[in-house]
Amino acid sequence: MASTNNVTELIFTGLFRDPDVQRVCFVAFLIVYLATVVGNGLIVLTVSISKSLNSPMYFFLSQLSLVEISYSSTVVPKFITDLLAKIKTISLEGCLAQIFFFHFFGVTEILLLVVMAYDRYVAICKPLHYMNIMSHQVCQVLVAGSWLGGFVHSIIQILITIQLPFCGPNVIDHYFCDLQPLFKLTCTDTFVEGVIVLANSGLIALCSFLILVTSYIVILINVRNHPAEGKRKALSTCASHITVVILFFGPAIFLYMRPSSTFTEDKLVAVFYTVITPMLNPIIYTLRNAEVKMAMRRLRGKKENVGME
């Protein structure tokens, strides 16, 4: 850490100032977080146990759910407990750790969504070569590459931040640690660092989003030549993916592809992609996927039989 640092502890302004509103939010967001962990955990468990869900698509889905649990857990537990605290504090080291894991899991999720789009492209546009192209080894490499990409991205963010001097004030106008709010507390000009962060975060999100949009356009064009039943199934699967992509990338591009501000709506947008979206993903995928619902019913039936024995 830079020797000029006088700040060892940071204070969050939080999302709302009214204590009554904070107590209501505590209950609401606690329920949402528990639903996120249980819902995504159930998908991971179902895919790992069910023999019928052994295709690459479900392997990627289980990895996405694992990332969702980790991504949400980086911010939400601290955020929830702070709703009941009069003074919301975090150490500078804890803040940097939160930034690291938040960006690590966030970019890993982005890359996994790109991988899932590629999987759907191969399955729909090259069905005869699908199992050869998407072999078990290839799937593992793609997932490992997603995790590695998230790690490299996050390391860059931290190397940029850790060398900055923090001499006060120590109040962050947010409910969790992120780069732009933290940059406002430094004792030096952070224009260059801000540009690097914009390139590192915003362009990753924007380029990945454009790749995803392009891939789904190609998929939808190819689906037109499929039989009615195959077309329906392909469209149903792609609709789930596209919905998740929009929910994740929309807020991220809104926040990272424009100059930073202290608008309250920025915090509300951040709530959407840190708290709400991770809960919605398992709902979106399971409600539109008959195979996952069937596997979950079989899993529940096995548990009931074990309980009766």
Side-chain angles (χ1 to χ4, degrees):
M1 206 76 65
S3 58
T4 51
N5 279 352
N6 298 325
V7 174
T8 58
E9 189 176 67
L10 301 169
I11 300 173
F12 295 127
T13 59
L15 188 60
F16 302 107
R17 302 294 177 89
D18 189 324
D20 293 331
V21 173
Q22 291 190 63
R23 282 191 286 270
V24 172
C25 287
F26 171 81
V27 175
F29 291 146
L30 178 61
I31 293 171
V32 170
Y33 176 65
L34 292 175
T36 299
V37 174
V38 172
N40 284 288
L42 188 58
I43 287 180
V44 174
L45 179 64
T46 303
V47 172
S48 62
I49 291 177
S50 302
K51 295 179 180 179
S52 60
L53 303 180
N54 59 356
S55 69
M57 181 177 75
Y58 297 115
F59 172 62
F60 296 138
L61 177 58
S62 68
Q63 288 293 315
L64 181 66
S65 293
L66 183 62
V67 170
E68 292 286 25
I69 294 172
S70 306
Y71 176 73
S72 182
S73 298
T74 300
V75 172
V76 180
K78 169 68 176 164
F79 170 46
I80 291 173
T81 54
D82 279 348
L83 287 169
L84 299 181
K86 289 185 179 180
I87 302 177
K88 314 172 199 312
T89 62
I90 189 171
S91 67
L92 183 57
E93 291 80 5
C95 183
L96 292 173
Q98 191 175 64
I99 289 173
F100 173 82
F101 287 108
F102 177 70
H103 283 266
F104 174 33
F105 295 123
V107 170
T108 300
E109 177 168 354
I110 287 174
L111 297 178
L112 276 174
L113 288 172
V114 173
V115 167
M116 292 174 77
Y118 174 67
D119 172 69
R120 290 301 85 204
Y121 164 77
V122 175
I124 293 170
C125 301
K126 300 180 184 293
L128 298 179
H129 304 285
Y130 178 68
M131 294 312 298
N132 290 328
I133 296 174
M134 300 302 294
S135 65
H136 183 65
Q137 291 78 9
V138 169
C139 292
Q140 289 184 323
V141 168
L142 290 173
V143 167
S146 299
W147 285 93
L148 180 61
F151 179 78
V152 171
H153 161 82
S154 228
I155 284 291
I156 293 172
Q157 305 288 62
I158 289 300
L159 289 177
I160 292 169
T161 310
I162 203 169
Q163 61 185 342
L164 295 174
F166 296 93
C167 359
N170 68 334
V171 178
I172 295 184
D173 187 20
H174 217 309
Y175 64 88
F176 72 99
C177 282
D178 204 359
L179 290 164
Q180 293 296 351
L182 188 62
F183 281 177
K184 294 176 182 178
L185 307 185
T186 62
C187 327
T188 185
D189 181 59
T190 57
F191 175 78
V192 174
E193 288 82 2
V195 171
I196 296 172
V197 166
L198 179 64
N200 196 20
S201 295
L203 290 182
I204 286 176
L206 181 61
C207 292
S208 299
F209 182 71
L210 292 176
I211 291 171
L212 286 163
V213 170
T214 303
S215 67
Y216 282 118
I217 289 174
V218 172
I219 289 171
L220 292 174
I221 292 173
N222 276 270
V223 161
R224 292 184 306 173
N225 302 322
H226 284 216
E229 180 60 25
K231 184 186 297 186
R232 185 198 62 78
K233 187 175 181 180
L235 289 175
S236 178
T237 303
C238 288
S240 300
H241 286 241
I242 292 169
T243 304
V244 169
V245 165
I246 292 172
L247 288 175
F248 184 84
F249 280 92
I253 293 173
F254 173 80
L255 289 179
Y256 287 103
M257 287 303 294
R258 64 184 182 82
S260 62
S261 67
T262 56
F263 297 146
T264 302
E265 51 264 34
D266 280 16
K267 296 182 188 179
L268 295 176
V269 170
V271 167
F272 187 78
Y273 72 80
T274 57
V275 183
I276 307 299
T277 301
M279 178 196 68
L280 293 178
N281 286 358
I283 297 174
I284 293 167
Y285 280 114
T286 53
L287 284 181
R288 300 185 66 89
N289 193 301
E291 291 178 325
V292 174
K293 288 190 288 186
M294 184 71 69
M296 285 184 173
R297 279 196 288 267
R298 283 198 294 264
L299 182 63
R300 186 175 59 187
K302 287 181 181 179
K303 288 183 177 179
E304 289 175 352
N305 291 336
V306 170
M308 291 175 64
E309 292 174 1

Coordinates of all heavy atoms in Angstrom, one line a residue, residues 56-57 59-60 63 107-120 122 130 132-150:
P56 N -23.2 -30.1 -22.6 CA -22.4 -28.8 -22.4 C -23.2 -27.7 -21.9 O -22.8 -26.9 -21.0 CB -21.7 -28.6 -23.7 CG -21.6 -29.9 -24.4 CD -22.8 -30.6 -24.0
M57 N -24.4 -27.5 -22.4 CA -25.3 -26.4 -22.1 C -25.5 -26.4 -20.6 O -25.5 -25.3 -19.9 CB -26.6 -26.4 -22.8 CG -27.5 -25.3 -22.5 SD -29.1 -25.3 -23.4 CE -30.0 -26.6 -22.6
F59 N -23.7 -27.9 -18.2 CA -22.4 -27.7 -17.6 C -22.1 -26.2 -17.4 O -21.8 -25.8 -16.4 CB -21.3 -28.4 -18.3 CG -19.9 -28.2 -17.8 CD1 -19.6 -28.5 -16.5 CD2 -19.0 -27.5 -18.6 CE1 -18.3 -28.3 -16.1 CE2 -17.7 -27.3 -18.2 CZ -17.4 -27.6 -16.9
F60 N -22.3 -25.5 -18.5 CA -22.1 -24.1 -18.5 C -23.1 -23.4 -17.6 O -22.8 -22.4 -16.9 CB -22.2 -23.5 -19.9 CG -21.2 -24.0 -20.8 CD1 -21.5 -24.3 -22.2 CD2 -19.8 -24.1 -20.4 CE1 -20.5 -24.7 -23.0 CE2 -18.9 -24.5 -21.3 CZ -19.2 -24.9 -22.6
Q63 N -22.1 -23.7 -14.0 CA -20.9 -22.8 -13.7 C -21.4 -21.4 -13.6 O -21.0 -20.6 -12.7 CB -19.9 -22.9 -14.9 CG -19.1 -24.2 -14.9 CD -18.2 -24.3 -13.8 OE1 -17.5 -23.4 -13.4 NE2 -18.2 -25.5 -13.2
V107 N -16.7 -10.3 -14.5 CA -16.2 -10.5 -15.8 C -16.2 -12.0 -16.1 O -16.4 -12.4 -17.3 CB -14.7 -10.0 -15.9 CG1 -14.1 -10.4 -17.2 CG2 -14.8 -8.5 -15.9
T108 N -16.0 -12.9 -15.1 CA -16.2 -14.3 -15.3 C -17.6 -14.6 -15.8 O -17.8 -15.4 -16.8 CB -15.9 -15.1 -14.0 OG1 -14.6 -14.9 -13.6 CG2 -16.1 -16.6 -14.3
E109 N -18.6 -14.0 -15.3 CA -20.0 -14.2 -15.7 C -20.1 -13.7 -17.2 O -20.8 -14.4 -18.0 CB -20.9 -13.4 -14.8 CG -22.4 -13.6 -15.3 CD -23.4 -13.1 -14.3 OE1 -23.0 -12.8 -13.1 OE2 -24.6 -13.0 -14.6
I110 N -19.6 -12.5 -17.5 CA -19.6 -12.0 -18.9 C -19.1 -13.0 -19.9 O -19.7 -13.4 -20.9 CB -18.9 -10.7 -19.0 CG1 -19.7 -9.6 -18.3 CG2 -18.6 -10.3 -20.4 CD1 -18.9 -8.2 -18.2
L111 N -17.9 -13.6 -19.5 CA -17.2 -14.5 -20.4 C -18.0 -15.8 -20.5 O -18.1 -16.5 -21.6 CB -15.8 -14.8 -20.0 CG -14.9 -13.5 -20.0 CD1 -13.5 -13.8 -19.5 CD2 -14.8 -12.9 -21.4
L112 N -18.6 -16.3 -19.4 CA -19.4 -17.5 -19.5 C -20.6 -17.3 -20.3 O -21.1 -18.2 -21.1 CB -19.9 -17.9 -18.0 CG -18.9 -18.7 -17.2 CD1 -19.4 -18.9 -15.8 CD2 -18.6 -20.0 -17.9
L113 N -21.2 -16.1 -20.3 CA -22.4 -15.8 -21.2 C -22.0 -15.9 -22.6 O -22.8 -16.4 -23.5 CB -23.0 -14.5 -20.8 CG -23.7 -14.4 -19.5 CD1 -24.1 -12.9 -19.2 CD2 -25.0 -15.3 -19.5
V114 N -20.8 -15.4 -22.9 CA -20.3 -15.5 -24.3 C -20.1 -17.0 -24.7 O -20.4 -17.4 -25.8 CB -18.9 -14.7 -24.5 CG1 -18.3 -14.9 -25.8 CG2 -19.2 -13.2 -24.3
V115 N -19.5 -17.7 -23.8 CA -19.3 -19.2 -24.0 C -20.6 -19.9 -24.3 O -20.8 -20.7 -25.2 CB -18.5 -19.8 -22.8 CG1 -18.6 -21.3 -22.9 CG2 -17.1 -19.3 -22.8
M116 N -21.6 -19.5 -23.5 CA -22.9 -20.2 -23.6 C -23.6 -19.8 -25.0 O -24.3 -20.6 -25.6 CB -23.9 -19.7 -22.5 CG -23.4 -20.3 -21.1 SD -24.4 -19.7 -19.7 CE -25.9 -20.6 -19.9
A117 N -23.3 -18.6 -25.4 CA -23.9 -18.2 -26.7 C -23.2 -19.0 -27.8 O -23.8 -19.4 -28.8 CB -23.6 -16.7 -26.9
Y118 N -21.9 -19.2 -27.7 CA -21.1 -20.0 -28.7 C -21.6 -21.4 -28.7 O -21.8 -22.0 -29.7 CB -19.6 -20.0 -28.3 CG -18.8 -20.9 -29.2 CD1 -18.6 -20.6 -30.5 CD2 -18.2 -22.0 -28.7 CE1 -17.8 -21.4 -31.4 CE2 -17.4 -22.8 -29.5 CZ -17.3 -22.6 -30.8 OH -16.5 -23.4 -31.6
D119 N -21.9 -22.0 -27.5 CA -22.5 -23.3 -27.4 C -23.8 -23.4 -28.1 O -24.0 -24.4 -28.9 CB -22.6 -23.7 -25.9 CG -23.4 -25.0 -25.7 OD1 -22.8 -26.0 -26.0 OD2 -24.6 -25.0 -25.3
R120 N -24.6 -22.4 -28.0 CA -25.9 -22.5 -28.7 C -25.8 -22.3 -30.2 O -26.5 -22.9 -31.0 CB -26.9 -21.4 -28.1 CG -27.4 -21.6 -26.7 CD -28.2 -22.9 -26.6 NE -27.3 -24.0 -26.3 CZ -27.7 -25.3 -26.6 NH1 -28.8 -25.5 -27.2 NH2 -26.8 -26.3 -26.4
V122 N -23.2 -23.3 -32.0 CA -22.7 -24.6 -32.5 C -23.9 -25.6 -32.5 O -24.1 -26.4 -33.5 CB -21.5 -25.2 -31.7 CG1 -21.1 -26.6 -32.2 CG2 -20.4 -24.2 -31.8
Y130 N -21.7 -31.0 -33.4 CA -21.8 -30.4 -32.1 C -20.9 -31.2 -31.1 O -20.1 -30.6 -30.4 CB -23.3 -30.4 -31.6 CG -23.4 -29.8 -30.2 CD1 -23.2 -28.5 -29.9 CD2 -23.8 -30.7 -29.2 CE1 -23.3 -28.0 -28.7 CE2 -24.0 -30.2 -27.9 CZ -23.7 -28.8 -27.6 OH -23.8 -28.3 -26.4
N132 N -18.5 -33.2 -31.5 CA -17.0 -33.1 -31.8 C -16.4 -31.7 -31.4 O -15.3 -31.7 -30.8 CB -16.8 -33.4 -33.3 CG -17.0 -34.8 -33.6 OD1 -16.8 -35.7 -32.8 ND2 -17.5 -35.1 -34.8
I133 N -17.2 -30.7 -31.7 CA -16.7 -29.3 -31.4 C -16.7 -29.1 -29.9 O -15.8 -28.6 -29.3 CB -17.5 -28.3 -32.2 CG1 -17.3 -28.5 -33.7 CG2 -17.1 -26.9 -31.8 CD1 -18.2 -27.6 -34.5
M134 N -17.9 -29.4 -29.3 CA -18.1 -29.1 -27.9 C -17.8 -30.4 -27.0 O -18.6 -30.8 -26.3 CB -19.5 -28.6 -27.6 CG -19.8 -27.3 -28.4 SD -18.7 -25.9 -28.0 CE -19.1 -25.7 -26.3
S135 N -16.6 -30.9 -27.2 CA -16.2 -32.0 -26.4 C -16.0 -31.6 -24.9 O -16.0 -30.5 -24.6 CB -14.9 -32.6 -26.9 OG -13.8 -31.7 -26.7
H136 N -15.9 -32.7 -24.1 CA -15.7 -32.4 -22.6 C -14.5 -31.6 -22.4 O -14.5 -30.7 -21.5 CB -15.6 -33.8 -21.9 CG -15.6 -33.6 -20.4 ND1 -16.6 -33.1 -19.6 CD2 -14.6 -33.9 -19.5 CE1 -16.2 -33.1 -18.4 NE2 -15.0 -33.6 -18.3
Q137 N -13.4 -31.9 -23.0 CA -12.2 -31.1 -22.8 C -12.3 -29.7 -23.3 O -11.8 -28.7 -22.6 CB -11.0 -31.8 -23.6 CG -10.5 -33.1 -23.1 CD -11.5 -34.3 -23.5 OE1 -12.4 -34.0 -24.4 NE2 -11.3 -35.4 -23.0
V138 N -13.0 -29.4 -24.4 CA -13.2 -28.1 -24.9 C -14.0 -27.3 -23.9 O -13.7 -26.1 -23.6 CB -13.8 -28.1 -26.3 CG1 -14.3 -26.7 -26.7 CG2 -12.9 -28.7 -27.3
C139 N -15.1 -27.9 -23.4 CA -15.9 -27.2 -22.4 C -15.1 -26.8 -21.2 O -15.3 -25.7 -20.6 CB -17.1 -28.1 -22.0 SG -18.3 -28.4 -23.4
Q140 N -14.3 -27.7 -20.7 CA -13.5 -27.4 -19.5 C -12.5 -26.3 -19.8 O -12.3 -25.4 -18.9 CB -12.7 -28.6 -19.0 CG -13.6 -29.7 -18.4 CD -12.8 -30.9 -17.9 OE1 -11.8 -31.3 -18.5 NE2 -13.3 -31.4 -16.8
V141 N -11.9 -26.3 -21.0 CA -11.0 -25.2 -21.4 C -11.7 -23.9 -21.4 O -11.2 -22.8 -21.0 CB -10.3 -25.5 -22.7 CG1 -9.6 -24.3 -23.2 CG2 -9.3 -26.7 -22.5
L142 N -12.9 -23.9 -22.0 CA -13.7 -22.6 -22.1 C -14.1 -22.1 -20.8 O -14.0 -20.8 -20.5 CB -15.0 -22.9 -23.0 CG -14.8 -23.1 -24.5 CD1 -16.1 -23.5 -25.1 CD2 -14.2 -21.9 -25.1
V143 N -14.5 -22.9 -19.8 CA -14.8 -22.5 -18.5 C -13.6 -22.0 -17.8 O -13.6 -20.9 -17.1 CB -15.5 -23.7 -17.7 CG1 -15.6 -23.3 -16.2 CG2 -16.9 -23.9 -18.3
A144 N -12.5 -22.7 -17.9 CA -11.3 -22.3 -17.2 C -10.8 -21.0 -17.8 O -10.3 -20.1 -17.0 CB -10.2 -23.4 -17.4
G145 N -11.0 -20.8 -19.1 CA -10.6 -19.5 -19.7 C -11.4 -18.4 -19.2 O -10.9 -17.2 -19.0
S146 N -12.7 -18.6 -18.9 CA -13.6 -17.6 -18.4 C -13.2 -17.2 -17.0 O -13.1 -16.0 -16.7 CB -15.0 -18.1 -18.3 OG -15.5 -18.5 -19.6
W147 N -12.8 -18.2 -16.2 CA -12.4 -17.9 -14.8 C -11.0 -17.1 -14.9 O -10.8 -16.2 -14.1 CB -12.2 -19.1 -14.0 CG -13.5 -19.7 -13.5 CD1 -14.3 -20.6 -14.2 CD2 -14.3 -19.3 -12.3 NE1 -15.4 -20.9 -13.4 CE2 -15.4 -20.1 -12.3 CE3 -14.0 -18.5 -11.3 CZ2 -16.4 -20.1 -11.3 CZ3 -15.0 -18.4 -10.3 CH2 -16.1 -19.2 -10.3
L148 N -10.1 -17.6 -15.8 CA -8.8 -16.9 -15.9 C -9.0 -15.5 -16.4 O -8.3 -14.6 -15.9 CB -7.9 -17.7 -16.8 CG -6.5 -17.2 -17.1 CD1 -5.7 -17.1 -15.8 CD2 -5.8 -18.0 -18.1
G149 N -9.9 -15.3 -17.4 CA -10.1 -13.9 -17.9 C -10.6 -13.0 -16.8 O -10.2 -11.8 -16.7
G150 N -11.5 -13.5 -16.0 CA -12.0 -12.7 -14.8 C -10.9 -12.3 -13.9 O -10.8 -11.2 -13.4

